[in-house]
């Protein structure tokens, strides 16, 4: 029985970043195609995707393309054509949200369920497995017990889980604030991130509980300590968030999780890598160097009180010291105030941050940094010191841009090599004396090459043997590294370096060709027949049905009433614009369960309802305590609705409207 594979799945904004993700240890990369991806500014041409595919497949790594927005009727045919184009470019799987695609003539390409499909229950996961999804990314909000329950119901699907990166506060696919406030739909790849704004929180009596706090902004996901527990719960694909992230971040975070997973795999012989080769790095991965808002493992180990990044949604950076003095043109910094401060070096081009007296994050790039002696530095900022708000003596400084780190990762920073065993033997080539070099890689693939050359005895047998092994092991320009070199010769022969080099090149080329030939297409899962019923017989706007083919899909699976997506503008007035497991009431210590034994909470501030205010926008927080969820309730801005109607009038398009299922 084959061993279960563990897959490290990395993001790529473009093909070059994807190639470096593979070089730094990714078993698979997900990337946006020419359109219809849930990051509308991260699209890529098919020629670039094909280039990435060719590089990834050399290592047996896979490429997944995101086709995960909801689609209007007029977009279905272009999306179908794009799916075929991706298949012909060698793409291994499509990541899908819109069920209308399953009603189309798609290529025989594997389908993965996007995070936007909001998979929180065993019933939903089992349904998606049974309609043809081979892999599915579970909701970030699940705990280990919930993951185990889903794994028990989906034996034929690979379960994927986000292990690092930014956290959407809403259940994925269940957030409509962006569309309601700006007309930009998160389900259409254009989120305006209203959740990162500051809000004032008040109770029903108008009393202010929190002023201008980012109460819907979460810390960043970090499951570094939970990988073994996630494996035990049933996760097989470990996904890094970040299709907008830069190359340095992808290199750094991918390398971090590659090292963690390799250690886990070394300890678990019953598990296997999902692709080939081992990586070496020129740097020590430090995920905290990447853009982050602080780390949380979210709900994996149950509800935690510290998941919010309420003070700022920005990257604060790592502590570097305190301000000693502030002058007219510069300020002095002492790094001795932080752990390891004696080893901290400030650089021209760094960026430093501090908190002002109102609790807002301030920052400035460094023009020049000059060591004064010991741990003291003179910093000249690129902004006049007088304009730096609340930069003051004893202010704690952080660095959120380290130029030395960026320069290090701007260079080639990893090598990925596949172990190969080489055997040199004497043979006949077309009846003439010659040599054969046989190769066997770590996956068991075999290839060989022959070359005609006289069998000339070496003058110095020991030296000739050493030189033959050394020359054959020179695989530096290839993807391979020599694990063993064996000489199956009657005696050490004299073979010129040029002959050996040609033989080695031909054998390695043959091995690469054999690896490419042997790499199978990922199989497309076949849906269960007759069609399995959907777990519910009624769908609200929360199901994101935006085209007639999606409606037909759900009707075929037994749904009786299908409402249209929020983006169709049928659901007006106040509705749940966001559903989230994050609870503002809990985070502000106002939950009745928390209040037991806590003096002065209950009776001082009413816990429900609460309101959020930002500018003229007012949102109501309603709490569904049985599932422990929060609904952010509001209405579409009138200017947005007016603009949407005008746009549709100017350029009519078709999408699904609510109607009873016949």
């Amino acid at each position: 029985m084959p061993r279960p594979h563990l897959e490290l799945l990395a993001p790529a904004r473009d093909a070059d970043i994807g190639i470096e993700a593979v070089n730094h240890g990714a078993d698979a990369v997900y990337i946006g195609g020419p359109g219809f991806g849930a990051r509308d500014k991260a699209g890529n041409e098919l020629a670039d995707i094909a280039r990435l595919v060719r590089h990834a497949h050399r290592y047996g790594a896979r490429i997944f393309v995101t086709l995960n927005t909801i689609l209007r009727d007029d977009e279905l045919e272009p999306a179908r054509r794009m799916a075929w184009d991706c298949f012909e470019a060698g793409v291994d799987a499509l990541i899908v949200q819109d069920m209308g695609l399953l009603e189309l003539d798609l290529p025989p390409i594997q389908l993965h369920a996007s995070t936007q499909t909001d998979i929180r229950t065993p019933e939903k996961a089992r349904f998606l497995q049974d309609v043809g999804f081979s892999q599915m990314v579970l909701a970030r909000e699940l705990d280990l017990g919930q993951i185990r329950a889903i794994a028990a119901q989906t034996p034929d699907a690979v379960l994927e889980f986000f292990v690092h990166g930014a956290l959407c506060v809403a259940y994925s696919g269940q957030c409509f604030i962006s569309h309601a406030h700006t007309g930009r739909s998160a389900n259409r790849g254009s989120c305006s991130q209203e959740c990162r704004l500051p809000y004032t929180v008040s109770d029903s009596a108008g009393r202010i509980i929190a002023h201008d706090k980012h109460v819907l902004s979460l810390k960043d996901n970090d499951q570094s300590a939970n990988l073994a527990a996630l494996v035990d719960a049933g996760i097989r694909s470990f996904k890094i968030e970040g299709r907008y992230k830069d190359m340095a971040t992808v290199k750094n975070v991918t390398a971090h999780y590659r090292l963690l997973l390799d250690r886990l795999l070394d300890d678990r012989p019953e598990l296997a890598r999902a692709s080939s080769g081992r990586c070496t790095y020129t740097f020590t991965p430090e995920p905290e160097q990447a853009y982050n808002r602080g780390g949380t493992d979210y709900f994996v180990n149950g509800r935690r009180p510290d998941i919010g990044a309420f003070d700022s949604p920005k990257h604060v950076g790592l502590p570097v010291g305190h301000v000693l003095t502030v002058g007219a043109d510069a300020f002095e910094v002492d790094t001795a105030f932080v752990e390891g401060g004696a080893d901290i070096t400030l650089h021209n081009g760094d960026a430093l941050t501090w908190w002002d007296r109102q609790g807002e994050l301030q920052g400035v790039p460094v023009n020049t940094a000059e060591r004064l002696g010991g741990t003291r530095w003179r910093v000249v900022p690129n902004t006049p010191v007088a304009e730096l708000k609340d930069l003051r003596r004893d202010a704690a400084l952080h660095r959120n841009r380290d130029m030395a780190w960026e320069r290090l990762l701007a260079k080639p920073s990893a090598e990925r090599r596949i172990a190969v065993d080489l055997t040199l033997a004497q043979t006949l080539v077309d009846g003439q004396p010659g040599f054969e070099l046989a190769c066997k890689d770590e996956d068991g693939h075999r290839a060989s090459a022959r070359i005609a050359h006289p069998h000339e005895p070496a003058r110095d047998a020991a030296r000739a043997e050493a030189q033959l092994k050394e020359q054959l092991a020179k695989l530096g320009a290839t993807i391979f590294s020599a694990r063993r070199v064996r000489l199956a010769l009657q005696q050490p022969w004299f073979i010129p370096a040029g002959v050996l080099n040609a033989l080695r090149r031909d054998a390695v080329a043959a091995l690469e060709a054999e690896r490419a030939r042997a790499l199978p297409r990922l199989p497309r899962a076949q849906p269960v027949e007759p069609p399995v019923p959907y777990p519910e017989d009624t769908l609200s706007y929360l199901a994101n049905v935006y085209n007639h083919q999606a409606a037909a899909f759900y009707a075929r699976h037994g749904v009786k009433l299908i409402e249209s997506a929020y983006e169709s503008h049928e659901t007006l007035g106040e509705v749940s614009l966001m559903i989230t497991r994050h609870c503002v009431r809990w985070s502000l210590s106002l939950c009745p369960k928390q209040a037991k034994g806590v003096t002065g909470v209950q009776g001082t501030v009413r816990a429900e309802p609460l309101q959020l205010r930002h500018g003229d926008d007012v949102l109501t927080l309603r709490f569904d305590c049985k599932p422990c969820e929060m609904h952010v309730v509001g209405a579409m801005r009138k200017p947005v609705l007016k603009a949407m109607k005008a746009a549709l009038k100017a350029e009519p398009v078709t999408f699904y409207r609510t109607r009873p299922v016949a």
Side-chain angles (χ1 to χ4, degrees), residues 426-481:
Q426 60 201 48
T427 188
L428 294 176
V429 180
D430 297 329
Q432 301 298 315
F435 296 93
E436 180 182 56
L437 182 61
C439 304
K440 179 184 176 183
D441 70 19
E442 64 186 42
D443 302 312
H445 299 109
R446 297 174 183 268
S448 63
R450 293 183 171 194
I451 193 167
H453 191 271
H455 295 167
E456 303 176 31
R459 293 179 181 177
D460 185 334
R463 183 181 178 190
E465 182 174 338
Q467 287 178 336
L468 287 174
K469 288 185 176 182
E470 179 183 357
Q471 197 69 23
L472 290 173
K474 290 181 178 179
L475 298 170
T478 74
I479 63 172
F480 301 103
S481 63

Side-chain angles (χ1 to χ4, degrees), residues 211-234:
H211 179 69
D212 277 354
K213 289 292 184 181
H214 303 266
V215 293
L216 298 180
S217 179
L218 300 180
K219 292 179 180 178
D220 285 0
N221 188 18
D222 183 352
Q223 302 295 338
S224 299
N226 296 324
L227 298 186
L230 288 168
V231 169
D232 292 340

Side-chain angles (χ1 to χ4, degrees), residues 119-126 129 136 138-139 142 144-155 159 233:
I119 305 168
R120 288 181 263 160
T121 66
E123 295 78 15
K124 178 76 170 285
R126 181 58 184 248
Q129 172 194 276
M136 58 188 75
L138 304 184
L142 301 183
L144 292 170
Q146 292 170 313
I147 293 170
R148 280 192 293 269
I150 290 175
Q153 292 298 315
T154 53
L159 298 187

Side-chain angles (χ1 to χ4, degrees), residues 66-367:
T66 57
L67 204 168
N68 60 339
T69 62
I70 57 173
L71 304 166
R72 300 189 309 257
D73 284 288
D74 61 299
E75 294 171 327
L76 288 170
E77 178 56 21
R80 186 192 70 82
R81 290 198 301 268
M82 193 188 103
W84 277 97
D85 289 342
C86 288
F87 176 75
E88 290 164 3
V91 169
D92 297 289
L94 298 175
I95 302 174
V96 170
Q97 174 187 190
D98 196 315
M99 296 300 137
L101 289 167
L102 275 67
E103 298 293 292
L104 305 182
D105 172 32
L106 293 181
I109 191 170
Q110 193 167 99
L111 299 181
H112 295 183
S114 167
T115 183
Q116 296 296 111
T117 57
D118 182 31
I119 305 168
R120 288 181 263 160
T121 66
E123 295 78 15
K124 178 76 170 285
R126 181 58 184 248
F127 173 79
L128 291 172
Q129 172 194 276
D130 290 348
V131 300
F133 286 95
S134 300
Q135 186 159 319
M136 58 188 75
V137 56
L138 304 184
R140 296 169 173 92
E141 293 81 2
L142 301 183
D143 61 35
L144 292 170
Q146 292 170 313
I147 293 170
R148 280 192 293 269
I150 290 175
Q153 292 298 315
T154 53
D156 299 325
V158 172
L159 298 187
E160 181 182 313
F161 197 71
F162 278 100
V163 293
H164 200 91
L167 284 168
C168 291
V169 64
Y171 291 117
S172 293
Q174 304 293 281
C175 186
F176 311 95
I177 291 180
S178 177
H179 188 72
H181 285 184
T182 68
R184 294 168 51 185
S185 167
N187 282 308
R188 302 264 296 158
S190 187
C191 180
S192 59
Q193 295 197 323
E194 304 294 295
C195 57
R196 301 295 183 185
L197 296 175
Y199 291 93
T200 293
V201 186
S202 60
D203 70 355
S204 58
R207 292 174 290 194
I208 293 176
I209 301 168
H211 179 69
D212 277 354
K213 289 292 184 181
H214 303 266
V215 293
L216 298 180
S217 179
L218 300 180
K219 292 179 180 178
D220 285 0
N221 188 18
D222 183 352
Q223 302 295 338
S224 299
N226 296 324
L227 298 186
L230 288 168
V231 169
D232 292 340
I235 298 301
R236 295 294 177 262
S237 178
F238 300 84
K239 188 171 192 173
I240 300 167
E241 182 275 339
R243 281 201 295 122
Y244 281 157
K245 294 294 192 293
D246 60 23
M247 184 176 288
T249 298
V250 173
K251 284 181 173 185
N252 181 23
V253 178
T254 301
H256 170 70
Y257 281 94
R258 179 73 272 157
L259 291 174
L260 291 179
L261 284 175
D262 281 350
R263 285 200 286 270
L264 193 153
L265 286 164
D266 288 342
D267 292 338
R268 302 266 190 110
E270 72 276 12
L271 300 170
R273 292 168 58 91
S275 61
S276 306
R278 286 275 185 166
C279 296
T280 57
Y281 307 105
T282 65
F283 67 103
T284 300
E286 297 179 24
E288 59 273 13
Q289 288 277 12
Y291 187 103
N292 70 87
R293 305 169 180 89
T296 174
D297 68 358
Y298 211 24
F299 290 95
V300 165
N301 290 299
R303 186 176 291 279
R304 302 294 182 95
D306 59 346
I307 65 173
F310 298 160
D311 291 326
S312 175
K314 301 175 183 177
H315 176 37
V316 177
L318 298 175
V320 292
H322 285 191
V323 176
L324 286 180
T325 63
V326 179
D329 302 314
F331 56 94
E332 292 185 12
V333 179
D334 192 344
T335 64
F337 289 91
V338 299
E339 184 178 353
D343 298 323
I344 291 175
T345 300
L346 300 181
H347 317 96
N348 302 346
D350 285 355
L352 302 178
T353 65
W354 66 95
W355 298 98
D356 66 22
R357 289 187 173 90
Q358 286 72 45
E360 291 294 323
L361 190 67
Q362 303 295 329
V364 68
V366 173
N367 189 15

Side-chain angles (χ1 to χ4, degrees), residues 610-624:
L610 300 179
Q611 285 193 329
L612 303 183
R613 183 180 294 275
H614 175 80
D616 294 331
D617 292 318
V618 178
L619 299 165
T620 301
L621 302 182
R622 300 196 183 280
F623 303 94
D624 188 351

